[in-house]
PDB file of all heavy atoms in Angstrom:
ATOM      1  N   ARG A   1       0.834  -1.162  -0.039  1.00  0.00           N
ATOM      2  CA  ARG A   1       0.048   0.040   0.044  1.00  0.00           C
ATOM      3  C   ARG A   1       0.933   1.222  -0.011  1.00  0.00           C
ATOM      4  O   ARG A   1       2.023   1.286   0.490  1.00  0.00           O
ATOM      5  CB  ARG A   1      -0.906  -0.007   1.146  1.00  0.00           C
ATOM      6  CG  ARG A   1      -0.185   0.229   2.524  1.00  0.00           C
ATOM      7  CD  ARG A   1      -1.252   0.156   3.761  1.00  0.00           C
ATOM      8  NE  ARG A   1      -0.749   0.365   4.956  1.00  0.00           N
ATOM      9  CZ  ARG A   1      -1.383   0.331   6.152  1.00  0.00           C
ATOM     10  NH1 ARG A   1      -2.638  -0.044   6.167  1.00  0.00           N
ATOM     11  NH2 ARG A   1      -0.773   0.546   7.278  1.00  0.00           N
ATOM     12  N   GLN A   2       0.292   2.386  -0.588  1.00  0.00           N
ATOM     13  CA  GLN A   2       0.963   3.566  -0.606  1.00  0.00           C
ATOM     14  C   GLN A   2       0.009   4.626  -0.135  1.00  0.00           C
ATOM     15  O   GLN A   2      -0.921   4.916  -0.908  1.00  0.00           O
ATOM     16  CB  GLN A   2       1.652   3.892  -1.941  1.00  0.00           C
ATOM     17  CG  GLN A   2       2.476   5.156  -1.889  1.00  0.00           C
ATOM     18  CD  GLN A   2       3.287   5.146  -3.183  1.00  0.00           C
ATOM     19  OE1 GLN A   2       3.014   4.562  -4.239  1.00  0.00           O
ATOM     20  NE2 GLN A   2       4.396   5.948  -3.167  1.00  0.00           N
ATOM     21  N   ALA A   3       0.282   5.309   0.955  1.00  0.00           N
ATOM     22  CA  ALA A   3      -0.492   6.340   1.498  1.00  0.00           C
ATOM     23  C   ALA A   3       0.032   7.625   0.789  1.00  0.00           C
ATOM     24  O   ALA A   3       1.202   7.760   0.544  1.00  0.00           O
ATOM     25  CB  ALA A   3      -0.540   6.383   3.010  1.00  0.00           C
ATOM     26  N   PRO A   4      -0.872   8.655   0.838  1.00  0.00           N
ATOM     27  CA  PRO A   4      -0.272  10.047   0.347  1.00  0.00           C
ATOM     28  C   PRO A   4       0.816  10.508   0.970  1.00  0.00           C
ATOM     29  O   PRO A   4       0.902  10.571   2.223  1.00  0.00           O
ATOM     30  CB  PRO A   4      -1.620  10.951   0.491  1.00  0.00           C
ATOM     31  CG  PRO A   4      -2.709  10.014   0.534  1.00  0.00           C
ATOM     32  CD  PRO A   4      -2.198   8.729   1.145  1.00  0.00           C
ATOM     33  N   GLY A   5       1.884  10.873   0.189  1.00  0.00           N
ATOM     34  CA  GLY A   5       3.115  11.369   0.793  1.00  0.00           C
ATOM     35  C   GLY A   5       4.038  10.387   1.466  1.00  0.00           C
ATOM     36  O   GLY A   5       5.051  10.726   2.110  1.00  0.00           O
ATOM     37  N   ARG A   6       3.719   9.107   1.246  1.00  0.00           N
ATOM     38  CA  ARG A   6       4.476   8.031   1.939  1.00  0.00           C
ATOM     39  C   ARG A   6       5.040   7.061   0.944  1.00  0.00           C
ATOM     40  O   ARG A   6       4.588   6.969  -0.224  1.00  0.00           O
ATOM     41  CB  ARG A   6       3.754   7.373   3.098  1.00  0.00           C
ATOM     42  CG  ARG A   6       3.213   8.369   4.100  1.00  0.00           C
ATOM     43  CD  ARG A   6       2.571   7.595   5.204  1.00  0.00           C
ATOM     44  NE  ARG A   6       3.624   6.851   6.064  1.00  0.00           N
ATOM     45  CZ  ARG A   6       3.384   6.205   7.199  1.00  0.00           C
ATOM     46  NH1 ARG A   6       2.236   6.072   7.647  1.00  0.00           N
ATOM     47  NH2 ARG A   6       4.484   5.585   7.751  1.00  0.00           N
ATOM     48  N   GLN A   7       6.127   6.319   1.352  1.00  0.00           N
ATOM     49  CA  GLN A   7       6.520   5.352   0.473  1.00  0.00           C
ATOM     50  C   GLN A   7       5.609   4.078   0.510  1.00  0.00           C
ATOM     51  O   GLN A   7       4.964   3.868   1.434  1.00  0.00           O
ATOM     52  CB  GLN A   7       7.998   4.949   0.981  1.00  0.00           C
ATOM     53  CG  GLN A   7       9.055   5.937   0.681  1.00  0.00           C
ATOM     54  CD  GLN A   7      10.467   5.357   0.898  1.00  0.00           C
ATOM     55  OE1 GLN A   7      10.614   4.494   1.722  1.00  0.00           O
ATOM     56  NE2 GLN A   7      11.489   5.993   0.290  1.00  0.00           N
ATOM     57  N   ARG A   8       5.814   3.354  -0.599  1.00  0.00           N
ATOM     58  CA  ARG A   8       4.969   2.156  -0.601  1.00  0.00           C
ATOM     59  C   ARG A   8       5.503   1.211   0.369  1.00  0.00           C
ATOM     60  O   ARG A   8       6.688   1.079   0.555  1.00  0.00           O
ATOM     61  CB  ARG A   8       5.126   1.529  -2.102  1.00  0.00           C
ATOM     62  CG  ARG A   8       4.153   0.369  -2.372  1.00  0.00           C
ATOM     63  CD  ARG A   8       4.211   0.022  -3.840  1.00  0.00           C
ATOM     64  NE  ARG A   8       3.726   1.157  -4.712  1.00  0.00           N
ATOM     65  CZ  ARG A   8       3.766   1.267  -5.964  1.00  0.00           C
ATOM     66  NH1 ARG A   8       4.423   0.272  -6.677  1.00  0.00           N
ATOM     67  NH2 ARG A   8       3.225   2.227  -6.734  1.00  0.00           N
ATOM     68  N   GLU A   9       4.605   0.456   1.087  1.00  0.00           N
ATOM     69  CA  GLU A   9       5.024  -0.522   2.073  1.00  0.00           C
ATOM     70  C   GLU A   9       4.466  -1.814   1.783  1.00  0.00           C
ATOM     71  O   GLU A   9       3.287  -1.928   1.301  1.00  0.00           O
ATOM     72  CB  GLU A   9       4.674   0.002   3.530  1.00  0.00           C
ATOM     73  CG  GLU A   9       3.191   0.214   3.680  1.00  0.00           C
ATOM     74  CD  GLU A   9       2.921   0.619   5.177  1.00  0.00           C
ATOM     75  OE1 GLU A   9       3.692   0.282   6.035  1.00  0.00           O
ATOM     76  OE2 GLU A   9       1.837   1.235   5.440  1.00  0.00           O
ATOM     77  N   LEU A  10       5.046  -2.959   2.324  1.00  0.00           N
ATOM     78  CA  LEU A  10       4.525  -4.207   2.170  1.00  0.00           C
ATOM     79  C   LEU A  10       3.626  -4.540   3.349  1.00  0.00           C
ATOM     80  O   LEU A  10       3.854  -4.293   4.497  1.00  0.00           O
ATOM     81  CB  LEU A  10       5.627  -5.297   2.200  1.00  0.00           C
ATOM     82  CG  LEU A  10       5.379  -6.671   2.043  1.00  0.00           C
ATOM     83  CD1 LEU A  10       4.788  -6.934   0.696  1.00  0.00           C
ATOM     84  CD2 LEU A  10       6.553  -7.443   2.147  1.00  0.00           C
ATOM     85  N   VAL A  11       2.396  -5.000   2.921  1.00  0.00           N
ATOM     86  CA  VAL A  11       1.362  -5.213   3.973  1.00  0.00           C
ATOM     87  C   VAL A  11       1.369  -6.671   4.289  1.00  0.00           C
ATOM     88  O   VAL A  11       1.359  -6.999   5.583  1.00  0.00           O
ATOM     89  CB  VAL A  11      -0.006  -4.849   3.324  1.00  0.00           C
ATOM     90  CG1 VAL A  11      -1.169  -5.260   4.367  1.00  0.00           C
ATOM     91  CG2 VAL A  11      -0.065  -3.409   2.964  1.00  0.00           C
ATOM     92  N   ALA A  12       1.373  -7.576   3.423  1.00  0.00           N
ATOM     93  CA  ALA A  12       1.218  -8.974   3.787  1.00  0.00           C
ATOM     94  C   ALA A  12       1.771  -9.772   2.527  1.00  0.00           C
ATOM     95  O   ALA A  12       1.714  -9.400   1.411  1.00  0.00           O
ATOM     96  CB  ALA A  12      -0.169  -9.445   4.039  1.00  0.00           C
ATOM     97  N   THR A  13       2.247 -11.065   2.768  1.00  0.00           N
ATOM     98  CA  THR A  13       2.723 -11.868   1.710  1.00  0.00           C
ATOM     99  C   THR A  13       2.139 -13.294   1.930  1.00  0.00           C
ATOM    100  O   THR A  13       1.800 -13.686   3.107  1.00  0.00           O
ATOM    101  CB  THR A  13       4.233 -11.982   1.724  1.00  0.00           C
ATOM    102  OG1 THR A  13       4.699 -12.646   2.922  1.00  0.00           O
ATOM    103  CG2 THR A  13       4.848 -10.591   1.656  1.00  0.00           C
ATOM    104  N   ILE A  14       2.003 -14.015   0.834  1.00  0.00           N
ATOM    105  CA  ILE A  14       1.634 -15.471   0.972  1.00  0.00           C
ATOM    106  C   ILE A  14       2.266 -16.234  -0.163  1.00  0.00           C
ATOM    107  O   ILE A  14       2.416 -15.794  -1.341  1.00  0.00           O
ATOM    108  CB  ILE A  14      -0.035 -15.487   0.828  1.00  0.00           C
ATOM    109  CG1 ILE A  14      -0.467 -16.857   0.974  1.00  0.00           C
ATOM    110  CG2 ILE A  14      -0.440 -14.960  -0.548  1.00  0.00           C
ATOM    111  CD1 ILE A  14      -2.006 -16.928   1.238  1.00  0.00           C
ATOM    112  N   THR A  15       2.754 -17.432   0.170  1.00  0.00           N
ATOM    113  CA  THR A  15       3.298 -18.285  -0.704  1.00  0.00           C
ATOM    114  C   THR A  15       2.289 -19.115  -1.432  1.00  0.00           C
ATOM    115  O   THR A  15       1.115 -19.201  -0.983  1.00  0.00           O
ATOM    116  CB  THR A  15       4.340 -19.267  -0.067  1.00  0.00           C
ATOM    117  OG1 THR A  15       3.598 -20.154   0.728  1.00  0.00           O
ATOM    118  CG2 THR A  15       5.259 -18.495   0.795  1.00  0.00           C
ATOM    119  N   ARG A  16       2.744 -19.854  -2.458  1.00  0.00           N
ATOM    120  CA  ARG A  16       1.751 -20.681  -3.201  1.00  0.00           C
ATOM    121  C   ARG A  16       1.194 -21.798  -2.137  1.00  0.00           C
ATOM    122  O   ARG A  16       0.101 -22.290  -2.423  1.00  0.00           O
ATOM    123  CB  ARG A  16       2.341 -21.394  -4.329  1.00  0.00           C
ATOM    124  CG  ARG A  16       1.462 -22.053  -5.360  1.00  0.00           C
ATOM    125  CD  ARG A  16       2.103 -22.597  -6.495  1.00  0.00           C
ATOM    126  NE  ARG A  16       2.617 -21.412  -7.431  1.00  0.00           N
ATOM    127  CZ  ARG A  16       3.810 -21.379  -7.960  1.00  0.00           C
ATOM    128  NH1 ARG A  16       4.812 -22.261  -7.661  1.00  0.00           N
ATOM    129  NH2 ARG A  16       4.096 -20.344  -8.788  1.00  0.00           N
ATOM    130  N   ALA A  17       1.988 -22.220  -1.365  1.00  0.00           N
ATOM    131  CA  ALA A  17       1.507 -23.198  -0.304  1.00  0.00           C
ATOM    132  C   ALA A  17       0.765 -22.656   0.809  1.00  0.00           C
ATOM    133  O   ALA A  17       0.109 -23.456   1.657  1.00  0.00           O
ATOM    134  CB  ALA A  17       2.813 -23.825   0.404  1.00  0.00           C
ATOM    135  N   GLY A  18       0.582 -21.266   0.863  1.00  0.00           N
ATOM    136  CA  GLY A  18      -0.377 -20.665   1.842  1.00  0.00           C
ATOM    137  C   GLY A  18       0.374 -20.240   3.135  1.00  0.00           C
ATOM    138  O   GLY A  18      -0.309 -19.813   4.013  1.00  0.00           O
ATOM    139  N   ALA A  19       1.689 -20.173   3.073  1.00  0.00           N
ATOM    140  CA  ALA A  19       2.451 -19.633   4.267  1.00  0.00           C
ATOM    141  C   ALA A  19       2.243 -18.121   4.253  1.00  0.00           C
ATOM    142  O   ALA A  19       2.479 -17.444   3.113  1.00  0.00           O
ATOM    143  CB  ALA A  19       3.907 -20.012   4.291  1.00  0.00           C
ATOM    144  N   VAL A  20       1.980 -17.424   5.239  1.00  0.00           N
ATOM    145  CA  VAL A  20       1.679 -15.955   5.261  1.00  0.00           C
ATOM    146  C   VAL A  20       2.551 -15.304   6.238  1.00  0.00           C
ATOM    147  O   VAL A  20       3.249 -15.808   7.214  1.00  0.00           O
ATOM    148  CB  VAL A  20       0.308 -15.646   5.731  1.00  0.00           C
ATOM    149  CG1 VAL A  20      -0.696 -16.376   4.716  1.00  0.00           C
ATOM    150  CG2 VAL A  20      -0.010 -16.090   7.107  1.00  0.00           C
ATOM    151  N   ASN A  21       2.868 -13.923   5.855  1.00  0.00           N
ATOM    152  CA  ASN A  21       3.393 -13.021   6.767  1.00  0.00           C
ATOM    153  C   ASN A  21       2.824 -11.610   6.632  1.00  0.00           C
ATOM    154  O   ASN A  21       2.368 -11.314   5.594  1.00  0.00           O
ATOM    155  CB  ASN A  21       5.005 -12.928   6.384  1.00  0.00           C
ATOM    156  CG  ASN A  21       5.820 -13.837   7.106  1.00  0.00           C
ATOM    157  OD1 ASN A  21       5.876 -13.951   8.337  1.00  0.00           O
ATOM    158  ND2 ASN A  21       6.441 -14.888   6.313  1.00  0.00           N
ATOM    159  N   TYR A  22       2.952 -10.973   7.720  1.00  0.00           N
ATOM    160  CA  TYR A  22       2.378  -9.592   7.689  1.00  0.00           C
ATOM    161  C   TYR A  22       3.310  -8.505   8.123  1.00  0.00           C
ATOM    162  O   TYR A  22       4.220  -8.840   8.949  1.00  0.00           O
ATOM    163  CB  TYR A  22       1.197  -9.606   8.780  1.00  0.00           C
ATOM    164  CG  TYR A  22       0.020 -10.537   8.344  1.00  0.00           C
ATOM    165  CD1 TYR A  22       0.028 -11.882   8.830  1.00  0.00           C
ATOM    166  CD2 TYR A  22      -0.954 -10.078   7.472  1.00  0.00           C
ATOM    167  CE1 TYR A  22      -0.958 -12.745   8.439  1.00  0.00           C
ATOM    168  CE2 TYR A  22      -1.912 -10.975   7.031  1.00  0.00           C
ATOM    169  CZ  TYR A  22      -1.928 -12.206   7.475  1.00  0.00           C
ATOM    170  OH  TYR A  22      -3.008 -13.163   7.038  1.00  0.00           O
ATOM    171  N   GLY A  23       3.028  -7.335   7.746  1.00  0.00           N
ATOM    172  CA  GLY A  23       3.780  -6.185   8.231  1.00  0.00           C
ATOM    173  C   GLY A  23       3.539  -5.871   9.594  1.00  0.00           C
ATOM    174  O   GLY A  23       2.600  -6.421  10.133  1.00  0.00           O
ATOM    175  N   ASN A  24       4.507  -4.983  10.076  1.00  0.00           N
ATOM    176  CA  ASN A  24       4.301  -4.584  11.567  1.00  0.00           C
ATOM    177  C   ASN A  24       2.933  -3.941  11.844  1.00  0.00           C
ATOM    178  O   ASN A  24       2.417  -3.208  11.012  1.00  0.00           O
ATOM    179  CB  ASN A  24       5.409  -3.601  11.794  1.00  0.00           C
ATOM    180  CG  ASN A  24       6.819  -4.177  11.861  1.00  0.00           C
ATOM    181  OD1 ASN A  24       6.992  -5.320  11.996  1.00  0.00           O
ATOM    182  ND2 ASN A  24       7.744  -3.317  11.659  1.00  0.00           N
ATOM    183  N   SER A  25       2.307  -4.419  12.785  1.00  0.00           N
ATOM    184  CA  SER A  25       1.014  -3.938  13.320  1.00  0.00           C
ATOM    185  C   SER A  25      -0.169  -4.286  12.468  1.00  0.00           C
ATOM    186  O   SER A  25      -1.289  -4.004  12.734  1.00  0.00           O
ATOM    187  CB  SER A  25       1.063  -2.429  13.513  1.00  0.00           C
ATOM    188  OG  SER A  25       0.872  -1.776  12.286  1.00  0.00           O
ATOM    189  N   MET A  26       0.044  -5.182  11.379  1.00  0.00           N
ATOM    190  CA  MET A  26      -1.103  -5.595  10.519  1.00  0.00           C
ATOM    191  C   MET A  26      -1.677  -6.773  10.825  1.00  0.00           C
ATOM    192  O   MET A  26      -2.731  -7.222  10.459  1.00  0.00           O
ATOM    193  CB  MET A  26      -0.709  -5.482   9.049  1.00  0.00           C
ATOM    194  CG  MET A  26      -0.219  -4.019   8.692  1.00  0.00           C
ATOM    195  SD  MET A  26       0.478  -3.813   7.098  1.00  0.00           S
ATOM    196  CE  MET A  26       1.200  -2.240   7.059  1.00  0.00           C
ATOM    197  N   LYS A  27      -0.869  -7.737  11.501  1.00  0.00           N
ATOM    198  CA  LYS A  27      -1.262  -9.028  11.890  1.00  0.00           C
ATOM    199  C   LYS A  27      -2.472  -8.893  12.878  1.00  0.00           C
ATOM    200  O   LYS A  27      -2.359  -8.153  13.787  1.00  0.00           O
ATOM    201  CB  LYS A  27      -0.202  -9.824  12.567  1.00  0.00           C
ATOM    202  CG  LYS A  27      -0.542 -11.275  12.767  1.00  0.00           C
ATOM    203  CD  LYS A  27       0.706 -12.068  13.209  1.00  0.00           C
ATOM    204  CE  LYS A  27       0.393 -13.534  13.403  1.00  0.00           C
ATOM    205  NZ  LYS A  27       1.538 -14.291  13.904  1.00  0.00           N
ATOM    206  N   GLY A  28      -3.533  -9.650  12.553  1.00  0.00           N
ATOM    207  CA  GLY A  28      -4.783  -9.544  13.398  1.00  0.00           C
ATOM    208  C   GLY A  28      -5.708  -8.656  12.786  1.00  0.00           C
ATOM    209  O   GLY A  28      -6.978  -8.681  13.090  1.00  0.00           O
ATOM    210  N   GLN A  29      -5.330  -7.605  12.001  1.00  0.00           N
ATOM    211  CA  GLN A  29      -6.384  -6.792  11.436  1.00  0.00           C
ATOM    212  C   GLN A  29      -6.539  -7.163   9.942  1.00  0.00           C
ATOM    213  O   GLN A  29      -7.667  -7.069   9.444  1.00  0.00           O
ATOM    214  CB  GLN A  29      -5.751  -5.284  11.416  1.00  0.00           C
ATOM    215  CG  GLN A  29      -6.748  -4.381  10.845  1.00  0.00           C
ATOM    216  CD  GLN A  29      -6.048  -2.925  10.764  1.00  0.00           C
ATOM    217  OE1 GLN A  29      -4.915  -2.722  10.948  1.00  0.00           O
ATOM    218  NE2 GLN A  29      -6.946  -1.964  10.281  1.00  0.00           N
ATOM    219  N   PHE A  30      -5.525  -7.662   9.269  1.00  0.00           N
ATOM    220  CA  PHE A  30      -5.689  -7.987   7.813  1.00  0.00           C
ATOM    221  C   PHE A  30      -5.356  -9.481   7.788  1.00  0.00           C
ATOM    222  O   PHE A  30      -4.611 -10.138   8.576  1.00  0.00           O
ATOM    223  CB  PHE A  30      -4.512  -7.263   7.034  1.00  0.00           C
ATOM    224  CG  PHE A  30      -4.618  -5.799   6.931  1.00  0.00           C
ATOM    225  CD1 PHE A  30      -3.595  -5.053   6.351  1.00  0.00           C
ATOM    226  CD2 PHE A  30      -5.848  -5.221   7.253  1.00  0.00           C
ATOM    227  CE1 PHE A  30      -3.743  -3.655   6.273  1.00  0.00           C
ATOM    228  CE2 PHE A  30      -6.036  -3.751   7.252  1.00  0.00           C
ATOM    229  CZ  PHE A  30      -4.965  -2.995   6.698  1.00  0.00           C
ATOM    230  N   THR A  31      -6.078 -10.104   6.774  1.00  0.00           N
ATOM    231  CA  THR A  31      -5.822 -11.469   6.425  1.00  0.00           C
ATOM    232  C   THR A  31      -5.662 -11.735   5.048  1.00  0.00           C
ATOM    233  O   THR A  31      -6.463 -11.341   4.236  1.00  0.00           O
ATOM    234  CB  THR A  31      -7.013 -12.361   7.032  1.00  0.00           C
ATOM    235  OG1 THR A  31      -7.243 -12.106   8.255  1.00  0.00           O
ATOM    236  CG2 THR A  31      -6.769 -13.845   6.663  1.00  0.00           C
ATOM    237  N   ILE A  32      -4.527 -12.240   4.599  1.00  0.00           N
ATOM    238  CA  ILE A  32      -4.241 -12.524   3.233  1.00  0.00           C
ATOM    239  C   ILE A  32      -4.504 -14.037   2.870  1.00  0.00           C
ATOM    240  O   ILE A  32      -4.328 -14.790   3.760  1.00  0.00           O
ATOM    241  CB  ILE A  32      -2.838 -12.220   2.879  1.00  0.00           C
ATOM    242  CG1 ILE A  32      -2.531 -12.265   1.396  1.00  0.00           C
ATOM    243  CG2 ILE A  32      -1.791 -13.053   3.624  1.00  0.00           C
ATOM    244  CD1 ILE A  32      -1.138 -11.714   0.941  1.00  0.00           C
ATOM    245  N   SER A  33      -5.036 -14.208   1.791  1.00  0.00           N
ATOM    246  CA  SER A  33      -5.372 -15.634   1.259  1.00  0.00           C
ATOM    247  C   SER A  33      -5.147 -15.688  -0.281  1.00  0.00           C
ATOM    248  O   SER A  33      -5.084 -14.628  -0.886  1.00  0.00           O
ATOM    249  CB  SER A  33      -6.763 -15.995   1.658  1.00  0.00           C
ATOM    250  OG  SER A  33      -7.834 -15.164   1.062  1.00  0.00           O
ATOM    251  N   ARG A  34      -5.253 -16.855  -0.787  1.00  0.00           N
ATOM    252  CA  ARG A  34      -5.093 -16.922  -2.213  1.00  0.00           C
ATOM    253  C   ARG A  34      -5.858 -18.232  -2.769  1.00  0.00           C
ATOM    254  O   ARG A  34      -6.095 -19.144  -1.981  1.00  0.00           O
ATOM    255  CB  ARG A  34      -3.707 -16.927  -2.604  1.00  0.00           C
ATOM    256  CG  ARG A  34      -2.813 -18.185  -2.421  1.00  0.00           C
ATOM    257  CD  ARG A  34      -1.408 -17.952  -2.674  1.00  0.00           C
ATOM    258  NE  ARG A  34      -1.054 -18.038  -4.106  1.00  0.00           N
ATOM    259  CZ  ARG A  34       0.157 -17.766  -4.582  1.00  0.00           C
ATOM    260  NH1 ARG A  34       1.139 -17.239  -3.820  1.00  0.00           N
ATOM    261  NH2 ARG A  34       0.454 -17.818  -5.835  1.00  0.00           N
ATOM    262  N   ASP A  35      -6.253 -18.059  -3.955  1.00  0.00           N
ATOM    263  CA  ASP A  35      -6.932 -19.127  -4.650  1.00  0.00           C
ATOM    264  C   ASP A  35      -5.990 -19.534  -5.868  1.00  0.00           C
ATOM    265  O   ASP A  35      -5.968 -18.808  -6.853  1.00  0.00           O
ATOM    266  CB  ASP A  35      -8.322 -18.773  -5.161  1.00  0.00           C
ATOM    267  CG  ASP A  35      -9.006 -19.904  -5.743  1.00  0.00           C
ATOM    268  OD1 ASP A  35      -8.449 -20.831  -6.393  1.00  0.00           O
ATOM    269  OD2 ASP A  35     -10.337 -20.005  -5.704  1.00  0.00           O
ATOM    270  N   ASN A  36      -5.242 -20.585  -5.828  1.00  0.00           N
ATOM    271  CA  ASN A  36      -4.190 -20.840  -6.842  1.00  0.00           C
ATOM    272  C   ASN A  36      -4.890 -21.166  -8.146  1.00  0.00           C
ATOM    273  O   ASN A  36      -4.404 -20.926  -9.182  1.00  0.00           O
ATOM    274  CB  ASN A  36      -3.287 -21.911  -6.395  1.00  0.00           C
ATOM    275  CG  ASN A  36      -2.354 -21.576  -5.227  1.00  0.00           C
ATOM    276  OD1 ASN A  36      -1.904 -20.319  -5.159  1.00  0.00           O
ATOM    277  ND2 ASN A  36      -2.114 -22.396  -4.294  1.00  0.00           N
ATOM    278  N   ALA A  37      -6.113 -21.818  -8.076  1.00  0.00           N
ATOM    279  CA  ALA A  37      -6.782 -22.155  -9.213  1.00  0.00           C
ATOM    280  C   ALA A  37      -7.180 -21.007 -10.039  1.00  0.00           C
ATOM    281  O   ALA A  37      -7.293 -21.057 -11.307  1.00  0.00           O
ATOM    282  CB  ALA A  37      -7.947 -23.058  -8.950  1.00  0.00           C
ATOM    283  N   LYS A  38      -7.390 -19.916  -9.343  1.00  0.00           N
ATOM    284  CA  LYS A  38      -7.854 -18.723 -10.038  1.00  0.00           C
ATOM    285  C   LYS A  38      -6.785 -17.676 -10.239  1.00  0.00           C
ATOM    286  O   LYS A  38      -7.049 -16.449 -10.581  1.00  0.00           O
ATOM    287  CB  LYS A  38      -9.127 -18.056  -9.286  1.00  0.00           C
ATOM    288  CG  LYS A  38     -10.244 -18.958  -9.173  1.00  0.00           C
ATOM    289  CD  LYS A  38     -11.397 -18.370  -8.399  1.00  0.00           C
ATOM    290  CE  LYS A  38     -12.601 -19.076  -8.300  1.00  0.00           C
ATOM    291  NZ  LYS A  38     -13.740 -18.554  -7.585  1.00  0.00           N
ATOM    292  N   ASN A  39      -5.615 -17.976  -9.733  1.00  0.00           N
ATOM    293  CA  ASN A  39      -4.488 -17.011  -9.756  1.00  0.00           C
ATOM    294  C   ASN A  39      -4.860 -15.661  -9.054  1.00  0.00           C
ATOM    295  O   ASN A  39      -4.544 -14.631  -9.534  1.00  0.00           O
ATOM    296  CB  ASN A  39      -3.970 -16.741 -11.153  1.00  0.00           C
ATOM    297  CG  ASN A  39      -3.281 -17.875 -11.831  1.00  0.00           C
ATOM    298  OD1 ASN A  39      -2.717 -18.775 -11.023  1.00  0.00           O
ATOM    299  ND2 ASN A  39      -3.167 -17.858 -13.066  1.00  0.00           N
ATOM    300  N   THR A  40      -5.555 -15.742  -7.956  1.00  0.00           N
ATOM    301  CA  THR A  40      -6.095 -14.637  -7.275  1.00  0.00           C
ATOM    302  C   THR A  40      -5.666 -14.687  -5.869  1.00  0.00           C
ATOM    303  O   THR A  40      -5.645 -15.663  -5.211  1.00  0.00           O
ATOM    304  CB  THR A  40      -7.673 -14.729  -7.251  1.00  0.00           C
ATOM    305  OG1 THR A  40      -8.046 -14.700  -8.781  1.00  0.00           O
ATOM    306  CG2 THR A  40      -8.206 -13.514  -6.586  1.00  0.00           C
ATOM    307  N   ILE A  41      -5.328 -13.443  -5.327  1.00  0.00           N
ATOM    308  CA  ILE A  41      -5.129 -13.374  -3.945  1.00  0.00           C
ATOM    309  C   ILE A  41      -5.996 -12.306  -3.312  1.00  0.00           C
ATOM    310  O   ILE A  41      -6.619 -11.442  -4.161  1.00  0.00           O
ATOM    311  CB  ILE A  41      -3.668 -12.862  -3.539  1.00  0.00           C
ATOM    312  CG1 ILE A  41      -3.391 -11.502  -4.094  1.00  0.00           C
ATOM    313  CG2 ILE A  41      -2.665 -13.827  -4.155  1.00  0.00           C
ATOM    314  CD1 ILE A  41      -1.997 -10.942  -3.630  1.00  0.00           C
TER     315      ILE A  41
END
């Protein structure tokens, strides 16, 4: 995400196998998921 006047920052990541990681303070508020069959996150 990129807020006005700020640098782009990484919010969350997910591997094809479903392993996830979140940026500082975002865990618990955001949930990342993916559907590999649809190439969609």
Side-chain angles (χ1 to χ4, degrees):
R1 70 182 182 184
Q2 187 167 21
R6 302 190 66 175
Q7 288 190 334
R8 193 171 291 169
E9 63 175 337
L10 182 61
V11 173
T13 67
I14 186 166
T15 70
R16 192 177 287 130
V20 300
N21 271 297
Y22 296 93
N24 292 336
S25 76
M26 298 170 190
K27 189 174 183 180
Q29 184 189 2
F30 295 167
T31 303
I32 189 171
S33 60
R34 71 190 284 172
D35 185 333
N36 292 327
K38 297 180 179 178
N39 290 341
T40 301
I41 66 168

